[in-house]
Amino acid sequence: MGLRKTVKINVHELASESLPKDVTPLGSNRHFYIWRTDWSLSWRPTSYIEVPILIVKNKNSNGPTLSAWVDIVRNRYSRFDYTFGYGYKISQKDTPSLDIYSGQYYTIRKRLRFGDDMLIQPGKSGYIYIKAKPFHLHEKEYRCVGSLNRCTPTGYERIQEGIREVKTSGSRIIGGARENSLPPYSVMSKIYYGTTLDYVGRLNINEKIYLGELFNNEGSCTFSFGFGIPVGALAAAFGPVPLWASGLSVSFHYETSDSLEVYGGIKNRGANPWGHNKTVYLNTRISRYTYHSGTCNMKVPVGVYIEAKTSRWS
C-alpha cells in the first residue's frame, strides 16, 4: 500500500541545452548562449556506490523496536527525476540563493523491482540502500559572439542532479539493508547540515505509517516528491562540491499513467523482540531549500531520514 497523488507539473523552461557541435562560420556576428560544465565543482562517479533511500535512527535506548521497509514493484514504473538549481554566481558564495525545480524531467524510467526491510533496536540505527551512479553537474552560462572561441560568462549558473544508472540483475535493483549502522559520517554530517528536523507525527505500539503519509504535500500542491535521494550530500561528501549543495535531493518514485506512488513504511513493534512498549514521536530531515514544481512550492525530504524518540521534546 502507499500514497497515490496526481501530478500536474509545468517546468518546460528547464530543458537541458546541448553544446553546439560546430563553430559558427568565421565573420558572423551572431550571438548565442551555451552552458559548460565546471568539472572542478562537479561529481560523477564511474562506479556504483551505496545510495541510501531510507535511514532510520531509533534514538532512545529505552524505546521500542522499530521495523521499516521499502518496496519497489515491477508493475509500476520506477522514475528517478532531475533536480535543477539556478542562481547568479553561486560558485562564489558560501550560502547562495537558489531557485530549485523538480518534477517533469527524469533520467530513468523503467519497470524495476526491489524490496528490503530491517529491524532497528532501541538506541540503534539502520538504512536501506540501492546501488547506483548519481551525478552532480555544476554548469555556467556563457554568451558567445561568432564562435565558441569568443565566449564570456554571464554569471548565471545551474546545478543538475540525478541518477544516471542503477545496478540491476534482470529487472531487480541491487541493494540491501544495513541494520545497526548508519551511512558513513562524511555523508551523514552533510545530510545534517543541509536539512532541518521537522516533527511529522507519532506511532503508538503496533501502529505503522506509510512513507507516503509522512511526505504528503498539502494545500494547492498536487505533487508528491516520493523518496528523497541525498545526491547533494553524497556529492559534498565524496566530490569537489561545496557544502551548500548538501540540501539538494533527487526524487525517486513509482508512477502509472496519471499518478505517483510511494511504497514503504515504519512500524512501532513495542517490546517485540528487544524493546519496550512505548509510543515514539517521528521527525524527518527536510531540505533547507524550497522546491518548485509549476505553481507548487514544497519542502522535501533528503534521504528519507526518520528519527524516532520516546518524547517529542527530547
Side-chain angles (χ1 to χ4, degrees), residues 162-298:
I163 300 293
R164 61 191 178 98
E165 191 175 342
V166 292
K167 190 173 185 179
T168 59
S169 175
S171 63
R172 181 173 62 89
I173 297 176
I174 303 300
R178 297 198 183 279
E179 297 179 345
N180 301 322
S181 180
L182 282 172
Y185 175 77
S186 59
V187 175
M188 291 306 305
S189 63
K190 305 304 185 298
I191 290 177
Y192 295 148
Y193 178 87
T195 58
T196 58
L197 196 62
D198 283 11
Y199 173 73
V200 290
R202 73 178 194 176
L203 280 181
N204 296 318
I205 301 163
N206 292 321
E207 187 178 11
K208 62 185 175 182
I209 189 168
Y210 298 106
L211 296 182
E213 297 175 270
L214 289 177
F215 306 120
N216 181 14
N217 291 290
E218 296 291 352
S220 61
C221 299
T222 56
F223 174 66
S224 176
F225 191 79
F227 289 92
I229 300 180
V231 173
L234 293 168
F238 300 132
V241 174
L243 192 58
W244 53 256
S246 300
L248 298 177
S249 187
V250 169
S251 173
F252 164 41
H253 46 67
Y254 323 120
E255 66 173 2
T256 59
S257 60
D258 60 354
S259 67
L260 304 179
E261 297 179 351
V262 177
Y263 290 90
I266 184 169
K267 181 178 181 179
N268 180 347
R269 299 174 64 94
N272 180 23
W274 312 287
H276 305 268
N277 287 322
K278 290 191 175 183
T279 295
V280 290
Y281 298 84
L282 303 180
N283 297 271
T284 187
R285 287 276 170 185
I286 301 296
S287 175
R288 294 182 183 274
Y289 295 114
T290 298
Y291 285 59
H292 310 293
S293 180
T295 60
C296 181
N297 298 323
M298 304 166 294

Side-chain angles (χ1 to χ4, degrees), residues 51-58 68 70 118 120 125-129 178 181-183 187-188 191-192 211 215 227-228 230 266 283-285 302-308:
V51 176
I53 56 175
L54 177 61
I55 305 167
V56 178
K57 185 175 184 179
N58 194 1
V70 171
M118 55 186 176
I120 306 103
S125 302
Y127 67 99
I128 295 174
Y129 67 92
R178 297 198 183 279
S181 180
L182 282 172
V187 175
M188 291 306 305
I191 290 177
Y192 295 148
L211 296 182
F215 306 120
F227 289 92
I266 184 169
N283 297 271
T284 187
R285 287 276 170 185
V302 173
V304 187
Y305 173 103
I306 297 172
E307 184 174 287

